[in-house]
Amino acid sequence: MSTATNSSGSTRANAPTGPLHPDAILEALDPEQREVALALTGPVCVLAGAGTGKTRAITHRIAYGVRTGTYKPTSVLAVTFTARAAGQMRTRLRELGVAGVQARTFHAAALRQLGYFWPRVVGGAPPRILEHKAPAVAEAARRVGASVDRVAVRDLSSEVEWAKVSLVTAEDYVKAALADDRPAPSGYDHQTVARLITAYEDVKTERGVIDFEDVLLMLADMLAEHRQVSDEVRSQYRHFVVDEYQDVSPLQQFLLDQWLGGRQELCVVGDPSQTIYSFTGATPHYLLDFTRTHPGTQVVRLVRDYRSTPQVVHLANEVLRRGRVVGALELQAQRPAGPPVSFTTYDDDEAEANGIAARAARLIQSGTRASEIAVLYRTNAQSAAFESALADAGVSYLVRGGERFFQRKDVRDAIVLLRGAARSADPDQPMGEQVRDVLTSAGWSEKPPAARGAARERWEAMQALVALADDVAAAGTPEAPATTATLVAELEERASAQHAPTVEGVTLASLHAAKGLEWDAVFLAGVSEGLMPISLAETDEGVAEERRLLYVGVTRAREHLELSFARARNPGGRATRKRTRFLDGLWPDEPAGRGRSSRPVRGQARQRLTGEHDVQLFDALREWRLSVARETDKPAYTVLGDATLAAIAELRPSSVAQLARINGIGPAKIDRYGATILAIVGDGAGG
């Protein structure tokens, strides 16, 4: 096993199975990771670039602290943002022979504590948790007289959540949103949203429920206001670790402050360059300001990238360097050289999807597992073209962000069957055979079905259970062979941590959903202006976050990385798309002097225009604008300016995405006039 693999923690082939001597814990680390492990007392700030083995560093730090007697296992609380990440931390600690450490998400830790203290402080059982905000938000909208559909309810729910995690009350919402340059959800004004937030809280109170943000807020308030509660929690937990600290929200920081109670035994881990959730209320400021708010902090930088080839690492570094990203770490590749990064320009979206599907099929034929391939894109709406192309190419796939594996009815039914089989299993029959016999009745077969859609998805889920059974069986020993009961126990543990077994298929995922994951081969699709950066990113801060999102996508690849975009949406359409500005000077074969500035100028046209617009279409757009001006009793230029109408008449957009790339028409006007403008353009095209 290579040093790179050891230090990254990306494989568990030789993972220890019992308590280790402290020196052995340190020997498994590179110099910087070892520095993290030796920094046992806080405050500690670990700046960890993508692929640098941060989970390995912090779990070995905890294990070293326990093995040297510096920590009691039960005095450590490690928090992160996903159940998957928390499950990985628990698994690593168990492999290091450390039991008793609490590794949970913020919400899981808070819910556990709130449930424990509520009967004592408030009395009775805690309120029921509102699983989904949508019904309550829809009722709140009705009460304030706001007309909503399913999309509007989703957007308003996100805005309510942003306000709560940002510690913004209904009374302060308008001021806070304006100060943050945050537009209200389309079709509404800030005052309406503020009234809706009040109504939403009323609806919850009447129904006797709380939401997930309330769990954190109520616990934090309980700790702040009840000394006996805070004393008990702080005597239990004396050492804190916070992973992905760049994604902490004001609400989570408020709870963390209550847990700490002014103490400094805190180790935070994060990467400012991977801040991609600002729209949800996450902020990198706590990470960037950590040394100022915690004097005497020991700072350790992890920059040795064990995940990606030098070719991938070079591109990742250049994406950040050219954007002058604050706090960016320059990664140092530790792997041998790999294939060059590929850049491809397609004629249209269909050609791009088919080209990527063909490349994925060739990778699979050459030995790459389908589950080690991902197609990443900016918006979920882009997935349909890739689903169709992969299906036509005969390549299995799964869409990440859909229904969770253990929530699928067919998976739950299969586990019930396996649980029953475990009670009456033949001890002489190999476990793998038993599982196959059971799952045959649940839809599994030796060969996948020819049908697509639900039938294929069902088979893929059953096949994932079969593959996991084989892995569990292989981990058994002659003295302690694995049984079906062993598999059931493994599945129950994985279900509690939402740690799904690997489904063998190409992963389709948005860039946001890909955070924290990695694959041997990654296709970054649609890297064009309007998608990367997204047209809605109209501020400098918004564009900077889009650059960080591209960086996250690039750093998901271990070996093969291909970036692409299509010049037109439809076959035969106008080739008006331009590749993303984030790759200025990096896209090969680009003529000298043709690259755009990597620092966007506000108000600068997002399309290059010749001025040779369609006069008839321009006149039709002017007539429409005049009628809108008369209806609203406003000057015509306040609807849309002549320059914008001329740009529309030249570029002839056929979609909202194309329309959004035209200077002078922002999200609010697209919501108000977009459909009408596209209809006028379409009529002109037909003429």
Side-chain angles (χ1 to χ4, degrees):
M1 184 180 296
S2 67
T3 302
T5 305
N6 270 330
S7 296
S8 71
S10 59
T11 181
R12 289 156 51 189
N14 296 328
T17 57
L20 290 177
H21 188 277
D23 291 344
I25 294 174
L26 297 180
E27 287 170 1
L29 306 176
D30 71 24
E32 292 77 27
Q33 294 170 345
R34 189 173 303 168
E35 190 177 349
V36 173
L38 290 170
L40 294 179
T41 56
V44 178
C45 178
V46 181
L47 298 173
T52 57
K54 67 179 177 67
T55 303
R56 186 178 188 84
I58 57 178
T59 51
H60 280 64
R61 176 183 184 267
I62 294 170
Y64 186 71
V66 171
R67 302 309 303 164
T68 57
T70 307
Y71 308 153
K72 288 177 54 180
T74 54
S75 72
V76 180
L77 176 59
V79 289
T80 187
F81 284 80
T82 67
R84 179 179 178 274
Q88 285 182 335
M89 291 180 73
R90 289 194 295 270
T91 299
R92 298 275 185 94
L93 289 167
R94 186 168 65 243
E95 290 171 351
L96 292 169
V98 175
V101 172
Q102 292 295 309
R104 299 181 178 276
T105 64
F106 268 99
H107 282 91
L111 185 60
R112 184 183 178 94
Q113 292 178 26
L114 189 69
Y116 178 79
F117 288 110
W118 187 279
R120 210 187 308 175
V121 175
V122 181
R128 181 172 59 86
I129 304 293
L130 189 66
E131 290 289 337
H132 303 287
K133 288 186 175 65
V137 169
E139 171 62 18
R142 186 190 65 78
R143 294 187 183 187
V144 301
S147 177
V148 294
D149 57 15
R150 183 175 58 84
V151 174
V153 168
R154 182 195 64 196
D155 291 345
L156 288 167
S157 297
S158 296
E159 195 65 8
V160 168
E161 189 166 314
W162 173 83
K164 298 197 72 167
V165 302
S166 301
L167 298 178
V168 172
T169 63
E171 294 76 15
D172 296 333
Y173 171 78
V174 174
K175 181 179 178 181
L178 293 175
D180 201 52
D181 198 20
R182 185 179 181 88
S186 56
Y188 306 95
D189 55 47
H190 290 107
Q191 291 286 357
T192 299
V193 176
R195 291 190 293 115
L196 182 139
I197 292 172
T198 298
Y200 169 76
E201 296 298 328
D202 291 341
V203 170
K204 285 192 303 161
T205 300
E206 293 168 11
R207 296 180 179 180
V209 296
I210 59 176
D211 59 29
F212 284 108
E213 291 72 49
D214 289 327
V215 172
L216 273 63
L217 188 59
M218 287 179 167
L219 176 62
D221 286 340
M222 193 178 286
L223 291 166
E225 296 174 8
H226 297 273
R227 181 66 178 271
Q228 71 276 22
V229 174
S230 58
D231 284 349
E232 188 169 341
V233 170
R234 291 167 190 166
S235 65
Q236 168 77 45
Y237 296 116
R238 299 179 179 275
H239 307 277
F240 293 83
V241 177
V242 183
D243 192 14
E244 302 288 0
Y245 194 58
Q246 77 278 351
D247 290 331
V248 162
S249 69
L251 174 55
Q252 289 165 332
Q253 183 63 46
F254 177 49
L255 174 57
L256 180 60
D257 289 341
Q258 304 313 308
W259 278 336
L260 285 164
R263 296 171 295 173
Q264 297 295 311
E265 287 305 316
L266 172 64
C267 173
V268 299
V269 189
D271 180 5
S273 302
Q274 296 189 67
T275 303
I276 60 172
Y277 293 109
S278 294
F279 63 95
T280 67
T283 172
H285 298 313
Y286 298 115
L287 177 62
L288 293 171
D289 293 345
F290 193 81
T291 56
R292 182 181 58 81
T293 55
H294 296 78
T297 294
Q298 181 174 348
V299 179
V300 184
R301 290 174 172 81
L302 302 182
V303 296
R304 301 179 195 239
D305 187 316
Y306 298 99
R307 174 188 299 160
S308 305
T309 63
Q311 289 80 359
V312 173
V313 169
H314 172 73
L315 178 62
N317 284 335
E318 286 297 304
V319 167
L320 295 184
R321 186 181 67 79
R322 292 165 187 263
R324 300 181 178 89
V325 174
V326 176
L329 297 166
E330 184 171 354
L331 299 174
Q332 299 172 5
Q334 303 297 300
R335 290 188 56 179
V341 175
S342 172
F343 300 81
T344 307
T345 303
Y346 292 94
D347 289 337
D348 52 69
D349 287 348
E350 183 179 321
E352 183 179 28
N354 289 335
I356 289 174
R359 287 286 299 118
R362 286 198 293 272
L363 283 171
I364 293 169
Q365 289 169 1
S366 64
T368 302
R369 293 178 59 183
S371 57
E372 287 296 348
I373 301 173
V375 181
L376 308 181
Y377 37 76
R378 179 61 182 83
T379 68
N380 288 321
Q382 294 170 260
S383 74
F386 298 108
E387 293 179 52
S388 177
L390 288 167
D392 289 342
V395 176
S396 298
Y397 66 87
L398 65 150
V399 181
R400 187 168 180 84
E403 187 177 19
R404 287 182 172 182
F405 183 85
F406 287 106
Q407 292 177 342
R408 292 177 56 115
K409 184 177 185 302
D410 47 13
V411 171
R412 288 188 278 113
D413 290 346
I415 293 175
V416 169
L417 292 173
L418 290 170
R419 192 177 291 121
R423 290 193 290 267
S424 58
D426 180 354
D428 296 325
Q429 184 184 19
M431 189 260 277
E433 290 182 11
Q434 293 178 16
V435 170
R436 285 167 170 77
D437 289 346
V438 171
L439 295 184
T440 296
S441 64
W444 180 81
S445 59
E446 286 287 349
K447 294 183 178 180
R452 300 174 186 167
R456 180 62 184 237
E457 290 179 5
R458 179 187 180 89
W459 183 88
E460 296 285 2
M462 297 302 104
Q463 178 62 25
L465 294 176
V466 169
L468 179 63
D470 290 342
D471 290 343
V472 171
T477 64
E479 296 77 22
T483 65
T484 305
T486 310
L487 174 64
V488 170
E490 173 75 11
L491 286 168
E492 289 174 347
E493 181 177 342
R494 284 171 172 260
S496 66
Q498 287 301 327
H499 181 196
T502 301
V503 175
E504 198 54 46
V506 171
T507 299
L508 300 178
S510 71
L511 287 163
H512 283 99
K515 176 76 166 61
L517 304 174
E518 58 186 81
W519 296 268
D520 283 346
V522 169
F523 294 89
L524 283 179
V527 290
S528 58
E529 290 287 310
L531 285 172
M532 180 58 62
I534 196 79
S535 57
L536 298 176
E538 297 186 317
T539 65
D540 291 343
E541 293 80 6
V543 171
E545 180 138 331
E546 292 288 301
R547 180 181 290 275
R548 295 193 296 268
L549 190 58
L550 176 60
Y551 170 79
V552 166
V554 168
T555 55
R556 299 310 94 194
R558 298 192 192 105
E559 184 171 3
H560 301 277
L561 175 62
E562 303 194 12
L563 296 89
S564 61
F565 79 99
R567 292 196 181 279
R569 179 183 181 186
N570 299 311
R574 289 173 62 89
T576 57
R577 285 182 183 158
K578 307 293 183 184
R579 59 113 185 102
T580 174
R581 72 192 76 166
F582 299 151
L583 296 173
D584 281 345
L586 298 172
W587 196 275
D589 303 325
E590 186 173 63
R594 291 288 297 275
R596 291 156 295 195
S597 168
S598 62
R599 291 182 63 81
V601 180
R602 286 182 65 84
Q604 185 181 41
R606 280 173 271 173
Q607 293 279 12
R608 292 182 180 178
L609 305 174
T610 66
E612 298 176 0
H613 59 261
D614 183 327
V615 176
Q616 187 175 356
L617 178 55
F618 179 72
D619 289 340
L621 289 166
R622 282 172 60 96
E623 289 179 13
W624 161 78
R625 182 182 66 180
L626 181 60
S627 67
V628 172
R630 287 171 176 167
E631 291 173 4
T632 58
D633 195 26
K634 293 181 178 179
Y637 71 85
T638 64
V639 180
L640 286 176
D642 278 350
T644 302
L645 296 185
I648 294 171
E650 177 180 337
L651 298 172
R652 306 178 74 93
S654 60
S655 68
V656 170
Q658 292 178 7
L659 186 61
R661 292 198 292 274
I662 295 175
N663 193 49
I665 178 164
K669 290 187 177 180
I670 287 177
D671 287 332
R672 198 173 302 144
Y673 309 130
T676 303
I677 293 172
L678 292 175
I680 295 171
V681 173
D683 290 343

